[in-house]
DNA sequence: CGCATTTGACCAGCGC
DNA sequence: GCGCTGGTCAAATGCG
């Protein structure tokens, strides 16, 4: 492609040069003709004639030379054109072999974009680029996106998300939840989390995984409520989500020395909403907060977001289940009017200052117990994928083993789990400038695509149905399903909205946690770099790394969750350590 | 005294 | 059927 572009750019230059030379030749020809017409019968002029003849001869010789040169250039040009066309043909003939499904899926992708009703479709050339990526805006397009976000934000403000915008920003043409369908019904949510933490999965589990799917799960467990789980670095007992909670139990979960705390909403006595808070076994600085149920009472803005998240998660997961039955390409049953513009959001609060924030990782996880949407805010997208070797990208993609869809870019800890049913989509950093969707250069597209394919090949092959599917179809199906499902976006948006704002809210939990969470967002937001006028992820990482490292170093040991102060006012570790 | 938290007991689901 | 585990209950305890 690069060669083609170089070729195409050089050809006009050569042609231009040839045209210029031809003009010179024409002028000289006319001069020659005119000079030949001028002849004097005078003897005095004979000397002049001789001179003119000499001049003519020399001019003719020069012209001949120029003509030869011109012919040579013409030949060169024709040769170049010939080579260009041959290369072009060779490229088109070889490209489908290298990425057959990529080519094959292009019409589907275009179709997807049309269905998705994106504000701006990419150009024809851009449409050829398939990005299996979620990621950040490039610095160039960020302003446009921001502008667009601002215009759309007004619309969103009237909706359920206060001052927040979130969308999947991707060019997916995929649509299947077959991958999700392979979730083991026997794996509880916690098991899934443990597997994610440990990077292991027992063979028996994987075998059972292939036997049934989410449809069965939901049929067998119709009362199981969907959950929204959020992983975030937090050094306090819990995070301020704008709601009132009462702790009603605590358990030591298997595989995690840190106890799991159970909370219920106390805003209303009959409110069924539950919350679980637990620290990650491998990284004590990571707090896992899981919400379940729907509030049956009015809520503050942030708490409303959680409610929206859980209900959206329920809708989304049910939708994903139903769509899996329909096969590839028709899986997306949800509305297509949703703006699939970037896995980012704007917040009106003072922490994010209406700049987009990008989630490093989000996943949908289903288990027999509870289908769960997991938002992982602990792993920022550190390395711009286009600067990353494919192997790095791949290893990053294969780092985690939570179930189902996972948009990841950074490695966590575990190795590639061949038994996990996980579809990983790289979390890229480039963003299409016009549509607000993600685009990368073709090389990266291929890398991302191939990596996704390779990873899925290693991880999503337990079910015969899935095995019968073409790998790219699997990718396409799953990605499309997610990308086109507005409930997925709303779930993510709502869940995260609850943590963005630290102002207002009738929470009884401490402000310190809210501030800490705000700091987390602040730390993980690429805005830090964009504020300085540097929008690239690299600078973001440079700035990000140090405070994160120092912050983690400053994080002392994390005691069990029972270190709260009174009246639902947990005490931060710093406060506790000062004691 | 009222309210929240703690903590052991209990129950249900699942695997063997 | 038994054991394990997650989730919940409720009495005891602590705090303002």
């Amino acid at each position: 492609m690069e060669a083609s572009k170089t070729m195409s750019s050089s050809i006009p230059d050569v042609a231009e040069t040839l045209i210029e030379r031809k003009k010179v030749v024409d002028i000289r020809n006319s001069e020659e003709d005119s000079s030949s017409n001028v002849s004097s019968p005078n003897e005095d002029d004979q000397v002049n004639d001789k001179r003119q003849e000499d001049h003519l001869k020399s001019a003719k010789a020069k012209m001949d030379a120029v003509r030869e040169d011109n012919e040579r250039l013409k030949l060169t040009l024709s040769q170049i054109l010939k080579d260009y066309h041959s290369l072009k043909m060779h490229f088109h003939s070889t490209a489908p072999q290298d990425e057959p499904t990529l080519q094959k899926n292009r019409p589907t992708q275009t179709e997807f974009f049309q269905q998705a009703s994106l504000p701006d479709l990419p150009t024809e050339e851009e449409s050829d680029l398939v990005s299996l990526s979620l990621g950040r805006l490039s610095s160039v397009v960020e302003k446009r996106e921001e502008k667009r976000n601002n215009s759309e934000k007004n619309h969103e403000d009237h909706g359920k998300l206060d001052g927040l915008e979130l969308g999947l920003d991707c060019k997916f043409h995929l649509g299947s939840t077959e991958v999700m369908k392979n979730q083991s019904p026997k794996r509880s949510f916690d098991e899934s989390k443990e597997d994610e933490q440990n990077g292991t999965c027992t063979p028996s589990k994987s075998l059972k995984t292939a036997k049934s799917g989410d449809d069965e799960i939901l049929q067998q467990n119709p009362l199981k409520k969907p959950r929204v789980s959020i992983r975030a670095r937090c050094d306090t007992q819990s995070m301020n989500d704008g709601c009132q909670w009462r702790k009603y139990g605590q358990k030591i979960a298997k595989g995690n020395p840190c106890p799991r705390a159970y909370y219920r909403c106390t805003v209303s006595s009959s409110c069924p909403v539950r919350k679980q808070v637990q620290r990650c076994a491998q990284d004590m600085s990571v707090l896992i907060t899981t919400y379940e149920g729907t509030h049956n009472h009015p809520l503050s803005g942030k708490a409303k977001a959680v409610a929206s998240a859980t209900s959206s998660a329920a809708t989304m997961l049910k939708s994903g289940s139903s769509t899996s039955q329909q096969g590839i390409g028709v899986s997306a049953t949800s509305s297509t009017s949703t703006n699939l513009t970037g896995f980012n959001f704007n917040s009106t609060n003072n922490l994010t200052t209406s700049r987009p924030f990008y989630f490093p990782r989000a996943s949908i996880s289903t288990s027999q117990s509870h289908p769960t949407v997991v938002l992982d805010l602990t792993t920022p997208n550190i390395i711009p994928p286009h600067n990353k070797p494919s192997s790095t990208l791949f290893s990053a993609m294969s780092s985690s083993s939570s179930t189902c869809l996972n948009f990841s870019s950074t490695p966590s800890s575990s190795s590639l789990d061949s038994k996990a049913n996980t579809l990983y989509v790289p979390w890229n950093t480039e963003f299409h400038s016009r549509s607000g969707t993600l685009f990368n250069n073709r090389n990266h597209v291929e890398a991302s695509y191939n990596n996704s394919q390779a990873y899925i090949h290693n991880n999503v092959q337990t079910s015969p149905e899935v095995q019968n599917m073409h790998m790219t179809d699997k990718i396409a199906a799953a990605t499309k399903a997610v990308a086109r499902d507005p409930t997925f976006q709303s779930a993510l948006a709502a869940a995260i909205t609850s943590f963005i704002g630290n102002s207002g809210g009738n929470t009884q939990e401490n402000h310190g946690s809210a501030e800490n969470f705000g700091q987390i967002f602040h730390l993980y937001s690429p805005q830090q770099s964009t504020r300085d006028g540097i929008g690239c992820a690299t600078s973001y990482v440079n700035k990000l790394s140090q405070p994160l490292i120092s912050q983690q170093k400053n994080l002392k040991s994390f005691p069990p969750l029972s270190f709260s102060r009174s009246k639902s006012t947990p005490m931060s570790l710093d406060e506790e350590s000062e004691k």
Side-chain angles (χ1 to χ4, degrees), chain A residues 47-81:
Chain A
V47 179
N48 292 333
D49 289 342
K50 274 190 178 180
R51 286 180 186 172
Q52 284 179 354
E53 281 180 11
D54 292 340
H55 187 71
L56 267 172
K57 282 180 182 176
S58 64
K60 281 182 179 177
K62 285 181 183 176
M63 281 185 58
D64 289 339
V66 170
R67 278 171 184 161
E68 286 178 8
D69 196 17
N70 198 6
E71 290 299 321
R72 262 202 321 259
L73 286 170
K74 280 181 180 176
L75 286 173
T76 306
L77 175 62
S78 62
Q79 185 63 37
I80 288 171
L81 285 169

Side-chain angles (χ1 to χ4, degrees), chain A residues 234-237 257-259 279-287 550-563 571-578:
Chain A
C234 183
D235 57 353
T236 54
Q237 177 188 2
C258 299
R279 292 212 170 270
C280 178
Q282 291 194 337
D283 188 352
M284 297 295 192
S285 64
V286 175
L287 196 68
S550 59
Q551 188 192 43
Q552 290 183 25
K553 280 181 180 176
N554 291 334
L555 290 175
K556 294 157 190 169
S557 61
F558 287 89
L561 286 166
S562 56
F563 47 73
M571 174 169 44
S572 72
L573 289 179
D574 291 338
E575 291 177 83
E576 193 179 44
S577 61
E578 286 173 2

Side-chain angles (χ1 to χ4, degrees), chain A residues 123-407:
Chain A
T123 63
E124 187 178 352
E125 183 182 2
E126 286 161 341
S127 298
D128 286 341
L129 303 177
V130 177
S131 175
L132 293 171
S133 305
L134 294 171
R136 299 190 181 96
L137 293 163
S138 69
S139 60
V140 177
V141 301
E142 189 175 10
K143 288 182 181 177
R144 293 187 189 179
E145 180 61 14
E146 198 174 328
K147 198 174 179 180
R148 196 173 54 77
N149 286 344
N150 288 335
S151 64
E152 291 172 355
K153 192 164 65 180
N154 294 330
H155 177 71
E156 296 246 351
D157 285 344
H158 298 293
K160 57 187 174 182
L161 303 176
D162 298 333
L164 177 143
E165 177 182 346
L166 178 142
L168 278 174
D169 203 7
C170 50
K171 291 182 62 179
F172 295 142
H173 50 276
L174 315 170
S176 150
T177 50
E178 286 292 335
V179 180
M180 298 171 63
K181 200 176 170 183
N182 280 323
Q183 291 310 303
S184 169
K186 303 299 179 186
R187 294 186 64 190
S188 68
F189 166 70
D190 295 295
E191 283 173 331
S192 300
K193 287 199 293 187
E194 285 166 17
D195 287 341
E196 182 179 354
Q197 293 164 3
N198 300 330
T200 58
C201 184
T202 61
S204 61
K205 284 180 180 177
S206 67
L207 285 174
K208 286 161 188 169
T209 293
K211 291 180 181 175
S212 59
D214 284 349
D215 295 341
E216 288 184 32
I217 294 170
L218 292 178
Q219 287 168 7
Q220 292 168 359
N221 304 280
L223 298 178
K224 295 295 183 183
K225 297 176 184 176
R227 289 173 169 177
V228 174
S229 183
I230 298 170
R231 294 165 55 88
R233 294 190 188 282
C234 183
D235 57 353
T236 54
Q237 177 188 2
S238 65
M239 294 177 292
N240 175 21
D241 52 15
C243 202
Q244 299 177 23
W245 302 98
R246 174 173 176 164
K247 190 176 183 179
Y248 66 89
Q250 181 169 302
K251 271 279 191 182
I252 300 288
K254 184 186 177 184
N256 193 338
C258 299
R260 175 184 305 155
Y262 298 91
Y263 296 86
R264 64 162 53 99
C265 179
T266 58
V267 175
S268 171
S269 58
S270 60
C271 182
V273 176
R274 300 282 192 275
K275 175 172 98 170
Q276 297 179 11
V277 179
Q278 187 176 33
R279 292 212 170 270
C280 178
Q282 291 194 337
D283 188 352
M284 297 295 192
S285 64
V286 175
L287 196 68
I288 304 168
T289 307
T290 305
Y291 297 92
E292 175 189 323
T294 305
H295 294 277
N296 58 2
H297 52 81
L299 291 167
S300 64
K302 285 183 286 185
K304 196 187 297 177
V306 178
S308 174
T310 52
S311 61
S312 297
T315 306
M316 170 186 62
L317 291 166
K318 284 178 182 177
S319 171
S321 171
S322 62
T323 55
S324 65
Q325 295 174 333
Q326 302 174 11
I328 308 163
V330 289
S331 62
T333 57
S334 49
S335 168
T336 58
S337 62
T338 304
N339 176 27
L340 303 174
T341 56
F343 208 68
N344 58 78
F345 59 84
N346 288 340
S347 172
T348 54
N349 68 42
N350 54 0
L351 289 174
T352 50
T353 60
S354 75
R355 288 174 179 272
F357 176 85
Y358 307 93
F359 291 105
R361 179 178 301 178
S363 66
I364 306 169
S365 184
T366 60
S367 66
Q368 186 185 26
S369 299
H370 300 273
T372 305
V373 176
V374 180
L375 308 178
D376 194 338
L377 309 179
T378 62
T379 53
N381 192 20
I382 288 180
I383 303 172
H386 57 280
N387 293 336
K388 238 188 212 178
S390 299
S391 57
T392 307
L393 183 64
F394 180 41
S395 65
M397 291 158 54
S398 64
S399 60
S400 179
S401 61
S402 64
T403 54
C404 279
L405 293 167
N406 194 327
F407 305 94

